[in-house]
């Protein structure tokens, strides 16, 4: 592994720890000595990680003289200093663990080595590739019932030029503790081509044809209230897993009674979300032409809010989180037409008159029946009296 470059230069390739030692150059009776100090840096998993994995660095040194006490400083791909946790340290081997990695940590890292005696100032660069999703670990997506919605996960395999194959799948479940449904699975080739296969028909969803590279997407053309829940995209590489979740929250509004609002009547509007909500999220009903006094807010994390109204118009239900309106459902309460109101009023008056007439008829019938009863009673008394008089005459 050595070459004599010139008459006085020796080149050694692929240095190993065992190459450390004292090298002597002899020229006649003259001898020159030089000490070779070897430092070796290795990174776990050959520098290929999934997001949230913890890399391990091992720095080993070898020298013919007593080993120096090294100080190690690490810088990430953004040139930020990283403070590692030193697990095991000796003069010969330094073993450290780093923080959990994110996809943004991909790039070239630098290990800076320093020693005062002997004087050592050496920078060792090493590559770190973190495969994963550029989405947050848990993302919330809001949708109105019957509207279209697209759920998207962005992989960084193209960005970091990941040349090794991996597989994955997209699962959906409505809530914790229930069975999940596999919607699709995917795989990627060494050339970076993504292949997807639809696996389930229990949801009316589509796989969009046109989308960015290394992006997993599903489209619900008409989302239903029971389509809410957790959608988890998971990838697998060398029996290790990484995942990213999207929580789909669906909002719906209903009115009781449904239909146009007649004069003098009232209606109850109900705004409901599938939940769960963030701790600082709440629902709010707001009229289009109302005041702050007309606004009604729910308590934090409540998933249902009702409001009673007696005037027609536009009402809006907002889902507010951290002061921002994440989603709004606009509901127009129609006023009943004039002829409908007249019909209702006429029906009310007619019903009242009919009830009055029926009452009068009942009273007249009752009085007539009472009179007939009294007349029959008097006639019976008269017949009885007449019979008694005839009996007396016969006895005389």
């Amino acid at each position: 592994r050595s070459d004599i470059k010139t008459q006085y230069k020796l080149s050694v390739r692929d240095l190993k720890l065992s190459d450390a030692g004292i090298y002597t150059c002899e020229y006649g009776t003259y001898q020159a000595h030089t000490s070779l100090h070897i430092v070796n840096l290795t990174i776990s998993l050959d520098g290929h990680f999934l997001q949230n994995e913890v890399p391990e660095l091992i720095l080993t040194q070898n020298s013919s003289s007593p080993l120096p006490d090294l100080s190690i400083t690490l810088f990430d791909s953004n040139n930020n200093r990283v403070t590692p946790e030193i697990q095991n340290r000796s003069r010969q081997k330094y073993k450290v663990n780093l923080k959990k990695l994110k996809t943004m940590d991909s790039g070239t890292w630098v290990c800076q080595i320093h020693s005062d005696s002997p004087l050592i100032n050496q920078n060792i660069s090493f590559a770190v590739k973190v495969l994963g999703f550029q989405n947050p670990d848990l993302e919330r997506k809001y949708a109105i019932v019957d509207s279209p919605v697209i759920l998207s996960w962005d992989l960084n395999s193209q960005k970091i030029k990941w040349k090794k194959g991996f597989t994955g799948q997209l699962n959906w479940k409505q809530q914790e503790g229930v069975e999940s449904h596999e919607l699709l699975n995917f795989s990627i080739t060494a050339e970076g081509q993504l292949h997807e296969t639809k696996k389930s028909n229990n949801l009316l969803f589509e796989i969009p044809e046109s989308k960015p590279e290394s992006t997993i997407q599903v489209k619900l053309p008409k989302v239903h209230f029971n389509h809410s829940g957790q959608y988890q995209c998971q990838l697998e590489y060398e029996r290790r897993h990484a995942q990213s979740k999207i929580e789909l929250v669906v909002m719906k509004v209903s009115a009781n009674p449904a239909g146009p609002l007649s004069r003098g009547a009232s209606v109850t509007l109900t705004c409901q979300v599938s939940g769960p909500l963030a701790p600082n999220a709440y629902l709010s009903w707001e009229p289009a032409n109302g005041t702050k006094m007309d606004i009604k807010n729910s308590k934090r994390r409540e998933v249902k809010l009702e409001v009673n109204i007696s005037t027609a118009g536009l009402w809006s239900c907002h889902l507010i989180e951290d002061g921002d309106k994440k989603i709004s459902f606009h509901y127009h309460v129609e006023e009943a037409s004039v002829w409908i109101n007249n019909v209702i009023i006429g029906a009310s008056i007619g019903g009242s008159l009919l009830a009055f007439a029926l009452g009068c008829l009942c009273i007249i019938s009752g009085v007539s029946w009472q009179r007939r009863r009294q007349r029959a009673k008097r006639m019976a008394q008269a017949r009885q009296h007449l019979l008694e008089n005839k009996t007396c005459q016969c006895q005389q």
Side-chain angles (χ1 to χ4, degrees):
R1 292 182 290 115
S2 63
D3 292 321
I4 300 177
K5 294 294 184 181
T6 65
Q7 186 177 1
Y8 305 108
K9 290 185 179 180
L10 177 69
S11 175
V12 181
R13 300 183 304 271
D14 300 327
L15 286 175
K16 301 178 181 179
L17 286 173
S18 58
D19 293 329
I22 298 176
Y23 288 75
T24 302
C25 179
E26 296 182 352
Y27 184 74
T29 59
Y30 178 78
Q31 291 185 344
H33 306 281
T34 183
S35 177
L36 181 61
H37 186 179
I38 304 293
V39 177
N40 182 44
L41 179 67
T42 59
I43 182 170
S44 59
L45 300 175
D46 196 28
H48 290 73
F49 301 95
L50 299 181
Q51 63 187 97
N52 293 325
E53 288 186 330
V54 178
E56 182 181 74
L57 292 178
I58 298 177
L59 180 69
T60 310
Q61 63 173 334
N62 191 15
S63 175
S64 60
S65 59
L67 296 174
D69 187 12
L70 299 177
S71 65
I72 300 173
T73 307
L74 289 171
F75 296 90
D76 63 14
S77 58
N78 299 310
N79 204 30
N80 297 318
R81 183 169 179 172
V82 178
T83 303
E85 178 186 354
I86 299 178
Q87 289 188 327
N88 187 6
R89 174 172 177 163
S90 66
R91 287 293 179 96
Q92 185 176 10
K93 181 181 291 188
Y94 297 76
K95 185 178 179 182
V96 299
N97 275 7
L98 304 182
K99 62 178 182 178
K100 288 185 177 180
L101 293 175
K102 300 179 181 179
T103 55
M104 64 184 66
D105 293 324
S106 295
T108 302
W109 289 49
V110 174
C111 179
Q112 192 177 82
I113 304 171
H114 175 76
S115 172
D116 291 328
S117 180
L119 182 60
I120 298 175
N121 283 303
Q122 189 74 34
N123 290 337
I124 303 176
S125 59
F126 57 97
V128 174
K129 290 188 176 183
V130 186
L131 175 66
F133 302 94
Q134 300 186 71
N135 306 54
D137 289 338
L138 177 60
E139 180 183 355
R140 281 187 175 87
K141 182 85 173 182
Y142 301 98
I144 296 174
V145 68
D146 292 336
S147 66
V149 63
I150 293 180
L151 305 178
S152 181
W153 289 264
D154 297 321
L155 288 168
N156 67 335
S157 57
Q158 289 281 347
K159 184 177 180 181
I160 63 176
K161 296 180 174 57
W162 189 274
K163 295 299 183 182
K164 302 183 179 182
F166 59 85
T167 61
Q169 61 184 18
L170 175 61
N171 300 316
W172 165 72
K173 59 181 178 180
Q174 284 191 286
Q175 57 188 5
E176 292 292 341
V178 300
E179 183 181 0
S180 62
H181 305 280
E182 184 179 356
L183 302 184
L184 61 89
N185 59 27
F186 59 89
S187 61
I188 194 166
T189 63
E191 292 77 21
Q193 296 297 321
L194 189 65
H195 297 286
E196 298 167 311
T197 304
K198 190 173 179 179
K199 299 293 291 184
S200 173
N201 291 318
N202 56 36
L203 269 181
L204 298 177
F205 74 95
E206 303 172 357
I207 301 177
E209 295 181 1
S210 178
K211 55 188 176 182
E213 292 181 327
S214 299
T215 299
I216 309 297
Q217 282 187 351
V218 291
K219 178 180 180 181
L220 283 71
K222 194 174 183 180
V223 65
H224 298 164
F225 195 71
N226 59 357
H227 287 169
S228 61
Q230 288 187 358
Y231 292 77
Q232 177 176 282
C233 195
Q234 175 179 284
L235 63 88
E236 179 180 356
Y237 171 69
E238 293 184 348
R239 299 184 179 180
R240 290 139 49 204
H241 299 84
Q243 56 273 331
S244 176
K245 294 180 182 178
I246 294 180
E247 184 82 33
L248 178 61
V249 180
V250 182
M251 175 186 286
K252 69 177 181 179
V253 169
S254 60
N256 187 24
L261 179 63
S262 58
R263 188 178 304 170
S266 63
V267 64
T268 300
L269 298 180
T270 302
C271 180
Q272 187 175 357
V273 292
S274 54
L277 297 178
N280 50 354
Y282 63 94
L283 298 175
S284 177
W285 270 115
E286 180 181 1
N289 298 319
T291 63
K292 290 185 177 181
M293 298 296 295
D294 299 321
I295 298 175
K296 184 177 180 181
N297 298 329
S298 70
K299 295 180 180 179
R300 301 282 177 176
R301 305 193 75 172
E302 279 189 344
V303 297
K304 188 176 181 180
L305 178 63
E306 294 181 348
V307 61
N308 294 318
I309 62 172
S310 57
T311 56
L314 182 65
W315 283 77
S316 299
C317 179
H318 308 293
L319 193 157
I320 301 175
E321 183 179 336
D322 290 330
D324 296 329
K325 293 179 181 178
K326 295 295 184 180
I327 190 173
S328 299
F329 196 121
H330 306 292
Y331 190 88
H332 187 262
V333 180
E334 296 182 356
E335 186 176 7
S337 303
V338 176
W339 69 270
I340 295 179
N341 284 326
N342 291 336
V343 169
I344 294 175
I345 294 173
S348 300
I349 296 175
S352 300
L353 291 176
L354 180 61
F356 178 75
L358 290 175
C360 292
L361 182 61
C362 291
I363 293 173
I364 293 172
S365 299
V367 171
S368 177
W369 178 79
Q370 185 69 21
R371 288 179 178 176
R372 288 197 300 270
R373 185 179 179 185
Q374 291 179 354
R375 188 183 302 113
K377 185 177 181 179
R378 286 197 299 269
M379 291 179 64
Q381 290 177 351
R383 285 196 298 269
Q384 183 67 26
H385 182 67
L386 182 60
L387 289 174
E388 290 177 354
N389 289 338
K390 288 180 177 181
T391 302
C392 293
Q393 290 176 359
C394 291
Q395 290 178 353
Q396 289 178 357

